[in-house]
């Protein structure tokens, strides 16, 4: 490969990652398909994501630049939801069945180069949370997939070698921190239009994406239907069963707190919400809290009170 070509490749990846970091406020805000069109290299627009395909291989490069996973409200269709290997790492499926498909070759080549990829994870229709850098560690041709690493496991694992339990736990928790949690947060906050479901507070810095029932152990990504946007206080109240949410989306406050007299947070922030409906919910029905999950959680709230 001529040196010039190699230089362009690494410069493009570096500039793309730098630009995304600025545009997303260091990963805090997601980016839309429209906004992605603003990226330029050497004063010329350069596409970072392919409109039609999951894998973007610009003609100027010999390998893939980015991969994309489209949004689905239930989370089930996402490849990384059910494709966690025994080592705790995620898998990315081939394009189709043909190992020599141009896009699969482009992934194999980026793996050979050890170059960073950008992973655009859909958090709403046409809105993405970019995760970068991610690397492809090895290929599993029988399963038609690549092993994907959000810069956690490189140098620590190799194909076919069993991973020690301690390392596996490390990989799972770091993958959660770098990939699952940011994607879940972005998805939930977006669906709730950055508002607390209980009190409608609208400051992202004061909001969390809460799980209705605990996340699965193996690091599957939680669907938006298992999420609620809650402010810090209401999240803590929900997690400690001070506050419960009925399956019909009405808030309940634990009985003993209702008897208590105290300052404005207790009076307005907690007691004042008792018997009231949630104040913010996703517009799309498919994104609203799952009734069965709410029932399960509400039963635990009743049992704790
Ligand atoms: Zn709140």
């Amino acid at each position: 490969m001529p040196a010039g070509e190699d230089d362009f490749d690494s410069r493009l990846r570096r500039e793309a990652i730098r630009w995304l970091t600025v545009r997303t406020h260091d990963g805090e805000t997601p980016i839309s398909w429209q906004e992605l069109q603003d990226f330029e290299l050497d004063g010329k627009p350069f596409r970072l994501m392919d409109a039609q395909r999951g894998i973007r291989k610009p003609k100027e490069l010999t390998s893939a630049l980015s991969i994309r996973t489209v949004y689905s409200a239930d989370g089930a269709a996402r490849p990384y939801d059910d494709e966690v290997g025994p080592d705790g790492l995620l898998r990315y499926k081939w394009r189709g069945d043909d190992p020599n498909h141009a896009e699969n070759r482009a992934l194999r080549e980026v793996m050979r180069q050890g170059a960073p990829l950008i992973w655009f994870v859909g958090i709403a229709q046409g809105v993405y949370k970019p995760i970068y850098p991610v690397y492809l560690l090895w290929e599993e041709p029988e399963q038609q997939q690549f092993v994907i690493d959000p810069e956690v496991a490189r140098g620590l694992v190799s194909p076919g070698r069993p991973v020690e339990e301690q390392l596996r736990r490390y990989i799972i928790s770091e993958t959660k921190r770098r990939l699952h949690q940011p994607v879940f947060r972005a998805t939930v906050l977006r669906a709730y239009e950055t508002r607390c479901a209980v009190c409608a507070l609208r400051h992202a810095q004061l909001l969390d994406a809460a799980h209705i029932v605990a996340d699965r152990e193996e690091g599957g990504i939680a669907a938006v239907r298992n999420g609620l946007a809650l402010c810090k206080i209401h999240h803590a109240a929900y997690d400690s069963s001070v506050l419960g949410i009925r399956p019909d989306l009405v808030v309940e406050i634990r009985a003993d707190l209702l008897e208590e007299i105290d300052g404005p947070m207790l009076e307005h922030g907690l007691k004042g919400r008792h018997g009231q409906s949630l104040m913010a919910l996703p517009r799309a029905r498919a994104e609203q809290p799952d009734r069965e999950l709410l029932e399960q959680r509400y039963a635990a709230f009743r049992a704790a009170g």
Side-chain angles (χ1 to χ4, degrees):
M1 181 192 294
E5 192 183 340
D6 187 39
D7 284 347
F8 180 81
D9 183 302
S10 48
R11 194 160 60 85
L12 170 62
R13 290 177 204 274
R14 201 171 53 241
E15 289 302 318
I17 284 174
R18 185 178 301 163
W19 183 83
L20 282 169
T21 303
V22 172
R23 285 299 287 259
T24 63
H25 306 98
D26 212 2
E28 265 308 296
T29 47
I31 192 157
S32 70
W33 160 255
Q34 206 55 44
E35 290 168 312
L36 278 170
Q37 309 310 308
D38 295 347
F39 176 72
E40 293 184 346
L41 190 70
D42 303 330
K44 279 181 251 153
F46 197 98
R47 273 190 299 134
L48 296 179
M49 188 200 293
D50 199 292
Q52 309 299 333
R53 301 173 178 85
I55 298 159
R56 164 93 170 117
K57 187 219 155 290
K59 63 178 186 329
E60 296 86 344
L61 302 192
T62 57
S63 65
L65 171 65
S66 72
I67 54 179
R68 181 183 56 159
T69 300
V70 294
Y71 174 69
S72 78
D74 62 6
R78 295 177 153 170
Y80 48 87
D81 196 27
D82 45 12
E83 300 291 349
V84 177
D87 43 33
L89 286 165
L90 301 153
R91 268 59 180 168
Y92 193 86
K93 285 285 177 198
W94 282 0
R95 166 75 186 269
D97 295 325
D98 177 7
N100 289 315
H101 189 289
E103 292 174 30
N104 296 330
R105 289 208 315 266
L107 287 181
R108 207 165 293 130
E109 181 59 16
V110 80
M111 175 176 77
R112 194 192 63 76
Q113 293 170 358
L117 273 172
I118 300 162
W119 190 1
F120 292 104
V121 183
I123 61 136
Q125 218 62 258
V127 185
Y128 299 89
K129 170 95 187 159
I131 306 285
Y132 53 80
V134 300
Y135 298 91
L136 300 182
L137 294 182
W138 65 83
E139 190 173 2
E140 294 171 337
E142 301 82 49
Q143 290 87 31
Q144 307 188 333
Q145 62 195 12
F146 291 90
V147 177
I148 191 166
D149 175 25
E151 217 185 8
V152 168
R154 235 171 20 146
L156 299 176
V157 291
S158 46
R161 262 234 313 265
V163 170
E164 277 179 34
E165 184 55 20
Q166 204 177 344
L167 176 58
R168 198 181 72 94
R169 285 186 176 282
Y170 166 78
I171 291 171
I172 289 173
S173 76
E174 281 298 290
T175 303
K176 254 189 177 164
R177 191 172 67 78
R178 295 188 196 194
L179 176 71
H180 297 168
Q181 286 166 355
V183 169
F184 182 62
R185 176 181 165 82
T187 307
V188 170
L189 262 55
R190 169 94 187 177
Y192 285 78
E193 295 174 0
T194 317
R195 282 180 172 274
C196 172
V198 171
C199 69
L201 187 74
R202 63 184 326 167
H203 285 273
Q205 304 93 315
L206 301 178
L207 296 178
D208 290 333
H211 289 95
I212 297 172
V213 300
D215 210 357
R216 289 211 316 265
E217 230 271 313
E218 287 302 295
I221 204 143
V224 65
R225 289 176 307 125
N226 186 27
L228 287 165
L230 292 176
C231 70
K232 302 282 181 187
I233 283 283
H234 288 136
H235 186 191
Y238 191 53
D239 280 358
S240 57
S241 292
V242 159
L243 180 153
I245 297 172
R246 294 200 324 232
D248 62 355
L249 306 176
V250 170
V251 175
E252 281 187 9
I253 298 297
R254 206 174 67 200
D256 60 310
L257 269 84
L258 294 172
E259 307 296 319
E260 215 178 298
I261 309 287
D262 197 17
M265 181 51 79
L266 181 76
E267 287 306 315
H268 302 290
L270 294 171
K271 286 164 70 178
R273 301 314 312 149
H274 182 71
Q276 304 293 312
S277 292
L278 291 183
M279 294 185 73
L281 276 177
R283 277 170 212 265
R285 225 186 152 69
E287 295 184 329
Q288 290 176 4
D290 183 279
R291 204 184 159 93
E292 276 177 33
L293 297 176
L294 284 172
E295 269 167 18
Q296 203 180 320
R297 179 64 181 264
Y298 181 66
F301 166 74
R302 291 300 297 257

